Amino acid sequence: MTAAGVPSRPGDRLSDVAGMTVGHWQRLDAEVTIGTLTEAGAGWATGTTVVAVPDGATTAVDVRGGGPGTRETDLLDPVNTVLGAHAIVLTGGSAYGLAAAEGVMEALEKAGRGLPMDLLGHVVPIVPAAVIFDLPVGGWAQRPGAGAGAYALGAATADFAIGTVGAGTGARAGALKGGVGTASSTLDEGPARGMTVGALVVANPVGAVIDPDTGLPWGRDDLVHHGLVDPDPAEVAAHAALLAKGTVLNTTIGVIATDARLSVADTRRLAMSGHDGLARAIRPAHSPMDGDTLFAVATGTATADPESAVPMPPGMSADAPVVAALCAAAATVTQRAVVSAVLAATAVGTVPAYRDVLGSALRETPSRQTPPRETP
């Protein structure tokens, strides 16, 4: 575990796609107050998460929210020239937090990573970014900068924490604490057999991830996967009585990755399908005030099993069956990542965590971790 929080589990995290790594920077004060329309919050409760992308990967993005805060997303359009990013920044601080990407870009330049521009070693790193609106959690002016991005990039490993860490430090999910979540799946049958799809999500929706009628994820999906059972009815009632999030400004952002070799256009279909997972996990999602944005990465280290190939008619892409299978998995792991963010989160200020309100639903209640403090 590289930061305070709940450890992500091998076999169920983004970095199960070989070459993908994740790092966090966060600052969380012991005393944090939540701002309202008439009273400012106080203290630090924000952070940045950086997903480092291996060389040679293709990268794409799909934006479904009506109020995104992003950087370099146009560059990832399949009609444009650049094939992939070198790192992806997910950050708190609303549009101010985009400054974190500058620190990532400078650190990559110093390491010589980027698009080569000449024979002298000059490079231009490609660093797309997306933000969540967490400014009312803590002081309005307390937000990540370039140093946060550089630190998170330097901390990136396959072994990373989830919950109230990184860009999820100040996140909220409806009436509960949001955070960073992750999940992965390796397909064991079909045309994409043996390939892995993973997701990392920063869940900060105004919509609910937990059904107030049951105290469980919507549709009671994946209860065994998440280790959930029916909670105590008194806890369900207490959760239903919680006040909703005090702002309609919100966003869920994330990265989906696979080890398949895909074109930029096919990589984008992973991001598009990931939004199906958001819609399954969050009600409502993709509102005009959301900035819901999902990036997708295809590292290209795995190849399709010829014995599992599905023949396609002439004039259609031979890769379509593989892409379809990967897209189905992308929706599932994104949905699971959103739920895991809420289950792993710890309370901040007056924003309660799932484990505090509906703890009886956790088959094995996660140990209460010391909330993360400032990372340099």
Side-chain angles (χ1 to χ4, degrees), residues 304-338:
D305 181 354
E307 294 184 1
S308 301
V310 176
M312 294 295 291
M316 297 184 70
S317 171
D319 295 331
V322 172
V323 175
L326 295 173
C327 286
T332 297
V333 297
T334 302
Q335 178 183 9
R336 288 176 175 174
V338 172

PDB file of all heavy atoms in Angstrom, residues 304-338:
ATOM      1  N   ALA A 304      -5.425 -11.774 -29.331  1.00  0.00           N
ATOM      2  CA  ALA A 304      -6.598 -12.639 -29.298  1.00  0.00           C
ATOM      3  C   ALA A 304      -6.206 -14.093 -29.554  1.00  0.00           C
ATOM      4  O   ALA A 304      -5.289 -14.381 -30.330  1.00  0.00           O
ATOM      5  CB  ALA A 304      -7.611 -12.180 -30.339  1.00  0.00           C
ATOM      6  N   ASP A 305      -6.903 -14.985 -28.893  1.00  0.00           N
ATOM      7  CA  ASP A 305      -6.701 -16.422 -29.076  1.00  0.00           C
ATOM      8  C   ASP A 305      -7.372 -16.835 -30.388  1.00  0.00           C
ATOM      9  O   ASP A 305      -8.596 -16.741 -30.526  1.00  0.00           O
ATOM     10  CB  ASP A 305      -7.322 -17.166 -27.899  1.00  0.00           C
ATOM     11  CG  ASP A 305      -7.142 -18.676 -27.987  1.00  0.00           C
ATOM     12  OD1 ASP A 305      -6.636 -19.162 -29.018  1.00  0.00           O
ATOM     13  OD2 ASP A 305      -7.517 -19.353 -27.016  1.00  0.00           O
ATOM     14  N   PRO A 306      -6.592 -17.291 -31.383  1.00  0.00           N
ATOM     15  CA  PRO A 306      -7.203 -17.642 -32.667  1.00  0.00           C
ATOM     16  C   PRO A 306      -8.255 -18.734 -32.558  1.00  0.00           C
ATOM     17  O   PRO A 306      -9.180 -18.799 -33.361  1.00  0.00           O
ATOM     18  CB  PRO A 306      -6.014 -18.080 -33.525  1.00  0.00           C
ATOM     19  CG  PRO A 306      -4.860 -18.215 -32.617  1.00  0.00           C
ATOM     20  CD  PRO A 306      -5.143 -17.461 -31.375  1.00  0.00           C
ATOM     21  N   GLU A 307      -8.145 -19.594 -31.545  1.00  0.00           N
ATOM     22  CA  GLU A 307      -9.130 -20.666 -31.386  1.00  0.00           C
ATOM     23  C   GLU A 307     -10.491 -20.128 -30.933  1.00  0.00           C
ATOM     24  O   GLU A 307     -11.504 -20.821 -31.056  1.00  0.00           O
ATOM     25  CB  GLU A 307      -8.616 -21.698 -30.384  1.00  0.00           C
ATOM     26  CG  GLU A 307      -7.392 -22.461 -30.859  1.00  0.00           C
ATOM     27  CD  GLU A 307      -6.979 -23.543 -29.890  1.00  0.00           C
ATOM     28  OE1 GLU A 307      -7.676 -23.700 -28.852  1.00  0.00           O
ATOM     29  OE2 GLU A 307      -5.988 -24.238 -30.161  1.00  0.00           O
ATOM     30  N   SER A 308     -10.490 -18.887 -30.398  1.00  0.00           N
ATOM     31  CA  SER A 308     -11.742 -18.287 -29.927  1.00  0.00           C
ATOM     32  C   SER A 308     -12.297 -17.265 -30.912  1.00  0.00           C
ATOM     33  O   SER A 308     -13.272 -16.578 -30.608  1.00  0.00           O
ATOM     34  CB  SER A 308     -11.521 -17.611 -28.567  1.00  0.00           C
ATOM     35  OG  SER A 308     -11.056 -18.533 -27.605  1.00  0.00           O
ATOM     36  N   ALA A 309     -11.678 -17.139 -32.063  1.00  0.00           N
ATOM     37  CA  ALA A 309     -12.075 -16.124 -33.033  1.00  0.00           C
ATOM     38  C   ALA A 309     -13.491 -16.373 -33.545  1.00  0.00           C
ATOM     39  O   ALA A 309     -13.927 -17.520 -33.718  1.00  0.00           O
ATOM     40  CB  ALA A 309     -11.092 -16.097 -34.197  1.00  0.00           C
ATOM     41  N   VAL A 310     -14.203 -15.281 -33.781  1.00  0.00           N
ATOM     42  CA  VAL A 310     -15.549 -15.331 -34.346  1.00  0.00           C
ATOM     43  C   VAL A 310     -15.467 -14.734 -35.748  1.00  0.00           C
ATOM     44  O   VAL A 310     -15.114 -13.559 -35.897  1.00  0.00           O
ATOM     45  CB  VAL A 310     -16.546 -14.537 -33.490  1.00  0.00           C
ATOM     46  CG1 VAL A 310     -17.925 -14.510 -34.151  1.00  0.00           C
ATOM     47  CG2 VAL A 310     -16.636 -15.130 -32.088  1.00  0.00           C
ATOM     48  N   PRO A 311     -15.766 -15.492 -36.776  1.00  0.00           N
ATOM     49  CA  PRO A 311     -15.661 -14.947 -38.142  1.00  0.00           C
ATOM     50  C   PRO A 311     -16.677 -13.838 -38.379  1.00  0.00           C
ATOM     51  O   PRO A 311     -17.809 -13.910 -37.896  1.00  0.00           O
ATOM     52  CB  PRO A 311     -15.937 -16.169 -39.028  1.00  0.00           C
ATOM     53  CG  PRO A 311     -16.669 -17.131 -38.164  1.00  0.00           C
ATOM     54  CD  PRO A 311     -16.197 -16.900 -36.767  1.00  0.00           C
ATOM     55  N   MET A 312     -16.242 -12.820 -39.120  1.00  0.00           N
ATOM     56  CA  MET A 312     -17.101 -11.683 -39.433  1.00  0.00           C
ATOM     57  C   MET A 312     -17.345 -11.606 -40.931  1.00  0.00           C
ATOM     58  O   MET A 312     -16.491 -12.001 -41.728  1.00  0.00           O
ATOM     59  CB  MET A 312     -16.433 -10.387 -38.949  1.00  0.00           C
ATOM     60  CG  MET A 312     -16.295 -10.286 -37.444  1.00  0.00           C
ATOM     61  SD  MET A 312     -17.916 -10.208 -36.630  1.00  0.00           S
ATOM     62  CE  MET A 312     -18.469  -8.582 -37.172  1.00  0.00           C
ATOM     63  N   PRO A 313     -18.496 -11.076 -41.326  1.00  0.00           N
ATOM     64  CA  PRO A 313     -18.777 -10.937 -42.757  1.00  0.00           C
ATOM     65  C   PRO A 313     -17.800  -9.958 -43.405  1.00  0.00           C
ATOM     66  O   PRO A 313     -17.268  -9.053 -42.745  1.00  0.00           O
ATOM     67  CB  PRO A 313     -20.207 -10.366 -42.781  1.00  0.00           C
ATOM     68  CG  PRO A 313     -20.761 -10.648 -41.435  1.00  0.00           C
ATOM     69  CD  PRO A 313     -19.613 -10.640 -40.488  1.00  0.00           C
ATOM     70  N   PRO A 314     -17.550 -10.130 -44.700  1.00  0.00           N
ATOM     71  CA  PRO A 314     -16.704  -9.163 -45.407  1.00  0.00           C
ATOM     72  C   PRO A 314     -17.268  -7.756 -45.271  1.00  0.00           C
ATOM     73  O   PRO A 314     -18.488  -7.555 -45.268  1.00  0.00           O
ATOM     74  CB  PRO A 314     -16.769  -9.650 -46.868  1.00  0.00           C
ATOM     75  CG  PRO A 314     -17.141 -11.087 -46.779  1.00  0.00           C
ATOM     76  CD  PRO A 314     -18.023 -11.214 -45.566  1.00  0.00           C
ATOM     77  N   GLY A 315     -16.349  -6.785 -45.144  1.00  0.00           N
ATOM     78  CA  GLY A 315     -16.770  -5.401 -45.004  1.00  0.00           C
ATOM     79  C   GLY A 315     -16.977  -4.962 -43.570  1.00  0.00           C
ATOM     80  O   GLY A 315     -17.315  -3.804 -43.311  1.00  0.00           O
ATOM     81  N   MET A 316     -16.806  -5.874 -42.608  1.00  0.00           N
ATOM     82  CA  MET A 316     -16.922  -5.533 -41.194  1.00  0.00           C
ATOM     83  C   MET A 316     -15.597  -5.808 -40.501  1.00  0.00           C
ATOM     84  O   MET A 316     -14.818  -6.661 -40.938  1.00  0.00           O
ATOM     85  CB  MET A 316     -18.051  -6.332 -40.531  1.00  0.00           C
ATOM     86  CG  MET A 316     -19.426  -6.055 -41.093  1.00  0.00           C
ATOM     87  SD  MET A 316     -20.752  -6.925 -40.206  1.00  0.00           S
ATOM     88  CE  MET A 316     -20.739  -6.036 -38.645  1.00  0.00           C
ATOM     89  N   SER A 317     -15.350  -5.091 -39.420  1.00  0.00           N
ATOM     90  CA  SER A 317     -14.082  -5.235 -38.706  1.00  0.00           C
ATOM     91  C   SER A 317     -13.940  -6.631 -38.121  1.00  0.00           C
ATOM     92  O   SER A 317     -14.827  -7.127 -37.410  1.00  0.00           O
ATOM     93  CB  SER A 317     -13.990  -4.204 -37.579  1.00  0.00           C
ATOM     94  OG  SER A 317     -12.872  -4.456 -36.754  1.00  0.00           O
ATOM     95  N   ALA A 318     -12.803  -7.256 -38.409  1.00  0.00           N
ATOM     96  CA  ALA A 318     -12.542  -8.582 -37.857  1.00  0.00           C
ATOM     97  C   ALA A 318     -12.352  -8.539 -36.348  1.00  0.00           C
ATOM     98  O   ALA A 318     -12.494  -9.559 -35.664  1.00  0.00           O
ATOM     99  CB  ALA A 318     -11.303  -9.182 -38.521  1.00  0.00           C
ATOM    100  N   ASP A 319     -12.037  -7.349 -35.801  1.00  0.00           N
ATOM    101  CA  ASP A 319     -11.801  -7.204 -34.360  1.00  0.00           C
ATOM    102  C   ASP A 319     -13.083  -6.965 -33.571  1.00  0.00           C
ATOM    103  O   ASP A 319     -13.043  -6.926 -32.338  1.00  0.00           O
ATOM    104  CB  ASP A 319     -10.844  -6.040 -34.104  1.00  0.00           C
ATOM    105  CG  ASP A 319      -9.458  -6.281 -34.664  1.00  0.00           C
ATOM    106  OD1 ASP A 319      -9.048  -7.462 -34.739  1.00  0.00           O
ATOM    107  OD2 ASP A 319      -8.787  -5.299 -35.023  1.00  0.00           O
ATOM    108  N   ALA A 320     -14.214  -6.791 -34.248  1.00  0.00           N
ATOM    109  CA  ALA A 320     -15.447  -6.400 -33.561  1.00  0.00           C
ATOM    110  C   ALA A 320     -15.857  -7.368 -32.448  1.00  0.00           C
ATOM    111  O   ALA A 320     -16.265  -6.915 -31.365  1.00  0.00           O
ATOM    112  CB  ALA A 320     -16.578  -6.227 -34.570  1.00  0.00           C
ATOM    113  N   PRO A 321     -15.764  -8.685 -32.620  1.00  0.00           N
ATOM    114  CA  PRO A 321     -16.158  -9.577 -31.512  1.00  0.00           C
ATOM    115  C   PRO A 321     -15.283  -9.406 -30.279  1.00  0.00           C
ATOM    116  O   PRO A 321     -15.775  -9.456 -29.144  1.00  0.00           O
ATOM    117  CB  PRO A 321     -16.003 -10.975 -32.113  1.00  0.00           C
ATOM    118  CG  PRO A 321     -16.147 -10.778 -33.582  1.00  0.00           C
ATOM    119  CD  PRO A 321     -15.490  -9.452 -33.848  1.00  0.00           C
ATOM    120  N   VAL A 322     -13.974  -9.186 -30.482  1.00  0.00           N
ATOM    121  CA  VAL A 322     -13.078  -8.958 -29.342  1.00  0.00           C
ATOM    122  C   VAL A 322     -13.446  -7.658 -28.648  1.00  0.00           C
ATOM    123  O   VAL A 322     -13.550  -7.594 -27.412  1.00  0.00           O
ATOM    124  CB  VAL A 322     -11.609  -8.929 -29.812  1.00  0.00           C
ATOM    125  CG1 VAL A 322     -10.691  -8.486 -28.668  1.00  0.00           C
ATOM    126  CG2 VAL A 322     -11.189 -10.286 -30.330  1.00  0.00           C
ATOM    127  N   VAL A 323     -13.670  -6.603 -29.434  1.00  0.00           N
ATOM    128  CA  VAL A 323     -14.009  -5.300 -28.855  1.00  0.00           C
ATOM    129  C   VAL A 323     -15.326  -5.390 -28.091  1.00  0.00           C
ATOM    130  O   VAL A 323     -15.470  -4.830 -26.994  1.00  0.00           O
ATOM    131  CB  VAL A 323     -14.076  -4.227 -29.954  1.00  0.00           C
ATOM    132  CG1 VAL A 323     -14.553  -2.893 -29.377  1.00  0.00           C
ATOM    133  CG2 VAL A 323     -12.712  -4.055 -30.619  1.00  0.00           C
ATOM    134  N   ALA A 324     -16.302  -6.107 -28.645  1.00  0.00           N
ATOM    135  CA  ALA A 324     -17.594  -6.233 -27.972  1.00  0.00           C
ATOM    136  C   ALA A 324     -17.449  -6.909 -26.613  1.00  0.00           C
ATOM    137  O   ALA A 324     -18.064  -6.493 -25.618  1.00  0.00           O
ATOM    138  CB  ALA A 324     -18.561  -7.019 -28.860  1.00  0.00           C
ATOM    139  N   ALA A 325     -16.636  -7.960 -26.563  1.00  0.00           N
ATOM    140  CA  ALA A 325     -16.432  -8.651 -25.288  1.00  0.00           C
ATOM    141  C   ALA A 325     -15.723  -7.750 -24.280  1.00  0.00           C
ATOM    142  O   ALA A 325     -16.066  -7.725 -23.090  1.00  0.00           O
ATOM    143  CB  ALA A 325     -15.631  -9.926 -25.522  1.00  0.00           C
ATOM    144  N   LEU A 326     -14.740  -7.003 -24.740  1.00  0.00           N
ATOM    145  CA  LEU A 326     -14.026  -6.085 -23.849  1.00  0.00           C
ATOM    146  C   LEU A 326     -14.944  -4.973 -23.363  1.00  0.00           C
ATOM    147  O   LEU A 326     -14.859  -4.548 -22.202  1.00  0.00           O
ATOM    148  CB  LEU A 326     -12.817  -5.490 -24.574  1.00  0.00           C
ATOM    149  CG  LEU A 326     -11.707  -6.472 -24.970  1.00  0.00           C
ATOM    150  CD1 LEU A 326     -10.661  -5.768 -25.820  1.00  0.00           C
ATOM    151  CD2 LEU A 326     -11.055  -7.089 -23.727  1.00  0.00           C
ATOM    152  N   CYS A 327     -15.835  -4.513 -24.227  1.00  0.00           N
ATOM    153  CA  CYS A 327     -16.759  -3.446 -23.828  1.00  0.00           C
ATOM    154  C   CYS A 327     -17.731  -3.914 -22.751  1.00  0.00           C
ATOM    155  O   CYS A 327     -18.052  -3.170 -21.814  1.00  0.00           O
ATOM    156  CB  CYS A 327     -17.516  -2.932 -25.045  1.00  0.00           C
ATOM    157  SG  CYS A 327     -16.539  -1.899 -26.156  1.00  0.00           S
ATOM    158  N   ALA A 328     -18.199  -5.148 -22.878  1.00  0.00           N
ATOM    159  CA  ALA A 328     -19.087  -5.688 -21.843  1.00  0.00           C
ATOM    160  C   ALA A 328     -18.370  -5.747 -20.499  1.00  0.00           C
ATOM    161  O   ALA A 328     -18.934  -5.400 -19.450  1.00  0.00           O
ATOM    162  CB  ALA A 328     -19.574  -7.077 -22.250  1.00  0.00           C
ATOM    163  N   ALA A 329     -17.108  -6.167 -20.533  1.00  0.00           N
ATOM    164  CA  ALA A 329     -16.327  -6.215 -19.295  1.00  0.00           C
ATOM    165  C   ALA A 329     -16.061  -4.815 -18.758  1.00  0.00           C
ATOM    166  O   ALA A 329     -16.048  -4.596 -17.535  1.00  0.00           O
ATOM    167  CB  ALA A 329     -15.009  -6.946 -19.539  1.00  0.00           C
ATOM    168  N   ALA A 330     -15.857  -3.845 -19.652  1.00  0.00           N
ATOM    169  CA  ALA A 330     -15.594  -2.469 -19.217  1.00  0.00           C
ATOM    170  C   ALA A 330     -16.765  -1.910 -18.425  1.00  0.00           C
ATOM    171  O   ALA A 330     -16.582  -1.218 -17.416  1.00  0.00           O
ATOM    172  CB  ALA A 330     -15.293  -1.591 -20.431  1.00  0.00           C
ATOM    173  N   ALA A 331     -17.992  -2.186 -18.874  1.00  0.00           N
ATOM    174  CA  ALA A 331     -19.162  -1.715 -18.136  1.00  0.00           C
ATOM    175  C   ALA A 331     -19.221  -2.329 -16.743  1.00  0.00           C
ATOM    176  O   ALA A 331     -19.510  -1.655 -15.745  1.00  0.00           O
ATOM    177  CB  ALA A 331     -20.432  -2.032 -18.921  1.00  0.00           C
ATOM    178  N   THR A 332     -18.914  -3.620 -16.659  1.00  0.00           N
ATOM    179  CA  THR A 332     -18.975  -4.318 -15.367  1.00  0.00           C
ATOM    180  C   THR A 332     -17.932  -3.800 -14.398  1.00  0.00           C
ATOM    181  O   THR A 332     -18.237  -3.506 -13.231  1.00  0.00           O
ATOM    182  CB  THR A 332     -18.797  -5.829 -15.576  1.00  0.00           C
ATOM    183  OG1 THR A 332     -19.872  -6.328 -16.372  1.00  0.00           O
ATOM    184  CG2 THR A 332     -18.778  -6.562 -14.242  1.00  0.00           C
ATOM    185  N   VAL A 333     -16.672  -3.678 -14.844  1.00  0.00           N
ATOM    186  CA  VAL A 333     -15.630  -3.262 -13.903  1.00  0.00           C
ATOM    187  C   VAL A 333     -15.797  -1.799 -13.508  1.00  0.00           C
ATOM    188  O   VAL A 333     -15.443  -1.411 -12.384  1.00  0.00           O
ATOM    189  CB  VAL A 333     -14.214  -3.529 -14.454  1.00  0.00           C
ATOM    190  CG1 VAL A 333     -13.997  -5.023 -14.649  1.00  0.00           C
ATOM    191  CG2 VAL A 333     -13.933  -2.768 -15.741  1.00  0.00           C
ATOM    192  N   THR A 334     -16.344  -0.973 -14.395  1.00  0.00           N
ATOM    193  CA  THR A 334     -16.595   0.419 -14.021  1.00  0.00           C
ATOM    194  C   THR A 334     -17.671   0.498 -12.953  1.00  0.00           C
ATOM    195  O   THR A 334     -17.547   1.238 -11.966  1.00  0.00           O
ATOM    196  CB  THR A 334     -17.001   1.247 -15.246  1.00  0.00           C
ATOM    197  OG1 THR A 334     -15.970   1.174 -16.236  1.00  0.00           O
ATOM    198  CG2 THR A 334     -17.224   2.702 -14.872  1.00  0.00           C
ATOM    199  N   GLN A 335     -18.749  -0.261 -13.124  1.00  0.00           N
ATOM    200  CA  GLN A 335     -19.794  -0.307 -12.106  1.00  0.00           C
ATOM    201  C   GLN A 335     -19.221  -0.763 -10.769  1.00  0.00           C
ATOM    202  O   GLN A 335     -19.487  -0.156  -9.717  1.00  0.00           O
ATOM    203  CB  GLN A 335     -20.903  -1.247 -12.553  1.00  0.00           C
ATOM    204  CG  GLN A 335     -22.033  -1.406 -11.531  1.00  0.00           C
ATOM    205  CD  GLN A 335     -23.075  -2.413 -12.002  1.00  0.00           C
ATOM    206  OE1 GLN A 335     -22.884  -3.119 -12.996  1.00  0.00           O
ATOM    207  NE2 GLN A 335     -24.175  -2.499 -11.283  1.00  0.00           N
ATOM    208  N   ARG A 336     -18.419  -1.811 -10.792  1.00  0.00           N
ATOM    209  CA  ARG A 336     -17.842  -2.322  -9.546  1.00  0.00           C
ATOM    210  C   ARG A 336     -16.887  -1.302  -8.918  1.00  0.00           C
ATOM    211  O   ARG A 336     -16.822  -1.180  -7.688  1.00  0.00           O
ATOM    212  CB  ARG A 336     -17.096  -3.625  -9.825  1.00  0.00           C
ATOM    213  CG  ARG A 336     -18.012  -4.798 -10.111  1.00  0.00           C
ATOM    214  CD  ARG A 336     -17.227  -6.045 -10.488  1.00  0.00           C
ATOM    215  NE  ARG A 336     -18.106  -7.200 -10.636  1.00  0.00           N
ATOM    216  CZ  ARG A 336     -17.711  -8.390 -11.063  1.00  0.00           C
ATOM    217  NH1 ARG A 336     -16.425  -8.589 -11.380  1.00  0.00           N
ATOM    218  NH2 ARG A 336     -18.568  -9.389 -11.168  1.00  0.00           N
ATOM    219  N   ALA A 337     -16.149  -0.576  -9.744  1.00  0.00           N
ATOM    220  CA  ALA A 337     -15.205   0.407  -9.215  1.00  0.00           C
ATOM    221  C   ALA A 337     -15.932   1.535  -8.500  1.00  0.00           C
ATOM    222  O   ALA A 337     -15.478   2.024  -7.462  1.00  0.00           O
ATOM    223  CB  ALA A 337     -14.340   0.953 -10.341  1.00  0.00           C
ATOM    224  N   VAL A 338     -17.064   1.970  -9.044  1.00  0.00           N
ATOM    225  CA  VAL A 338     -17.849   3.022  -8.383  1.00  0.00           C
ATOM    226  C   VAL A 338     -18.302   2.548  -7.011  1.00  0.00           C
ATOM    227  O   VAL A 338     -18.171   3.267  -5.998  1.00  0.00           O
ATOM    228  CB  VAL A 338     -19.065   3.411  -9.242  1.00  0.00           C
ATOM    229  CG1 VAL A 338     -19.983   4.346  -8.464  1.00  0.00           C
ATOM    230  CG2 VAL A 338     -18.620   4.083 -10.535  1.00  0.00           C
TER     231      VAL A 338
END
